[in-house]
Amino acid sequence: MTRLTSEIWIAAYLTRLRLAAIPAFIVRKGDATAGAVLVKLNTLDGSATCYQRSFDLVSGERQWVVLADGPEAEVDRKVARQREFDPDIWVIEVEDRTGRHMLDAPGLT
């Protein structure tokens, strides 16, 4: 199975968000080929959730899991620690008051 590069996946993800009128932007650009991707969902009320891709050992599939959830400042600190640990990481910030992130949409899981 061929995997998409990080850069292509992110371009497709941002396009899907834009078509749904969900604001999003790249906070940190990582390795174009194989950089890990974090998606921070900012609900614009002082809270945020950060998602990362994880490999499910039982099903063998990749899925989005919560890396951090809570006050936005705490989530930002967790993201900063991840960036220090992995300089190739991408960080995408999605802003939606209703909590839409589209990570569970077909083709993005």
Side-chain angles (χ1 to χ4, degrees):
M1 175 199 251
T2 304
R3 288 186 48 192
L4 293 175
T5 66
S6 299
E7 192 169 49
I8 291 173
W9 186 90
I10 289 166
Y13 180 55
L14 292 176
T15 298
R16 281 220 179 154
L17 291 169
R18 186 172 50 254
L19 291 172
I22 301 171
F25 50 94
I26 298 171
V27 173
R28 170 81 165 90
K29 188 173 182 177
D31 181 75
T33 305
V37 178
L38 297 181
V39 175
K40 176 186 162 194
L41 173 63
N42 183 347
T43 53
L44 305 171
D45 62 358
S47 299
T49 304
C50 183
Y51 298 90
Q52 70 177 1
R53 296 271 318 255
S54 179
F55 186 75
D56 184 349
L57 295 173
V58 175
S59 68
E61 295 181 10
R62 292 185 176 272
Q63 59 187 2
W64 289 96
V65 297
V66 174
L67 173 68
D69 185 38
E72 185 179 8
E74 288 180 24
V75 172
D76 286 342
R77 282 192 289 278
K78 180 70 173 180
V79 169
R81 283 195 299 273
Q82 290 293 318
R83 287 175 49 190
E84 289 173 6
F85 177 73
D86 183 359
D88 293 332
I89 204 163
W90 291 77
V91 180
I92 309 301
E93 183 161 343
V94 177
E95 295 181 342
D96 188 70
R97 291 184 191 282
T98 62
R100 297 176 301 160
H101 51 65
M102 298 188 72
L103 293 174
D104 51 358
L108 293 175
T109 55

